[in-house]
Amino acid sequence: IFAVSLFLIFLYYTPFIWRIFYPFPYKEIILKEAKRHKLDPLILISLIKAESDFKLNAKSKTGAIGLMQIMPKTAEDIVKELNFKGFSLEALESPELNVFFGAYYLSKLKKNYRGNLFLALAAYNGGSSNVDLWLKNKSAPIEIKDIPFLETRKYLKNIFKNYKFYKKAYSDL
């Protein structure tokens, strides 16, 4: 029993094992965009896993597109802000552009919420106007249990669970 316990403890702390269950596709793109937008790459990969489970052509029932599930309206706003030329929604299926837009948008949300990643992630899923309303109606800092949208609560729990395991798998980043 001691040997089995020791073996299980070894497996638990072995990054190789975690990498099987928590892969890091599009690693170069994610590392590049995380650096460009001053974000933790493990947060980006955790968000992508939660949003699309790495499916390039993912489309949600609400119309979100690609790896980071960018809404068309959000993409249009980013295109205007960054003065992109010749943009089409089909381009959001490109991992490079999708991760660039998603990282840009998350970084912008993080700045809007004074560096608070939790609020930025909540806004990424539930919308800034909703997060602003939740903050307005709450005197204490918001926690997952305080979020009225079940989907956003599950989303945040999923991202933070992913992040915990990505930290185990890729502690060298």
Side-chain angles (χ1 to χ4, degrees):
I1 291 177
F2 177 74
V4 170
S5 297
L6 195 58
F7 179 69
L8 291 174
I9 290 169
F10 170 75
L11 286 180
Y12 183 79
Y13 288 102
T14 304
F16 169 77
I17 299 300
W18 289 108
R19 289 178 184 202
I20 293 170
F21 299 104
Y22 288 86
F24 205 136
Y26 312 105
K27 187 175 185 177
E28 294 77 25
I29 296 168
I30 292 166
L31 292 175
K32 175 183 168 187
E33 296 307 329
K35 184 175 182 181
R36 180 193 319 232
H37 298 288
K38 298 178 177 77
L39 295 167
D40 181 343
L42 299 180
I43 283 293
L44 280 184
I45 192 71
S46 297
L47 186 149
I48 292 169
K49 183 169 178 54
E51 286 285 358
S52 67
D53 202 23
F54 313 116
K55 293 176 186 86
L56 261 182
N57 58 354
K59 288 193 174 82
S60 74
K61 58 183 177 259
T62 59
I65 300 168
L67 291 172
M68 293 191 71
Q69 292 292 275
I70 308 295
M71 291 295 290
K73 173 72 171 98
T74 301
E76 290 168 11
D77 292 344
I78 293 170
V79 165
K80 286 178 189 166
E81 287 171 28
L82 300 179
N83 200 23
F84 262 66
K85 301 290 182 215
F87 173 77
S88 70
L89 286 178
E90 293 78 33
L92 282 177
E93 291 182 12
S94 149
E96 292 84 3
L97 187 66
N98 196 281
V99 175
F100 171 77
F101 274 27
Y104 171 83
Y105 184 56
L106 181 60
S107 176
K108 180 180 168 182
L109 290 170
K110 192 174 170 194
K111 286 177 193 153
N112 289 350
Y113 292 105
R114 297 186 181 125
N116 188 317
L117 182 63
F118 174 81
L119 294 176
L121 290 167
Y124 194 98
N125 178 264
S128 292
S129 58
N130 287 318
V131 171
D132 294 344
L133 184 63
W134 302 336
L135 287 171
K136 183 179 172 186
N137 294 332
K138 189 87 172 131
S139 58
I142 197 162
E143 297 177 33
I144 289 178
K145 67 177 177 55
D146 299 320
I147 296 174
F149 295 174
L150 176 62
E151 178 189 332
T152 302
R153 285 195 309 267
K154 286 181 177 179
Y155 173 82
L156 290 170
K157 287 177 184 176
N158 194 12
I159 288 177
F160 292 122
K161 174 195 61 111
N162 291 344
Y163 184 73
K164 174 184 168 184
F165 294 121
Y166 272 106
K167 292 262 308 172
K168 287 182 182 300
Y170 302 94
S171 58
D172 55 332
L173 289 182

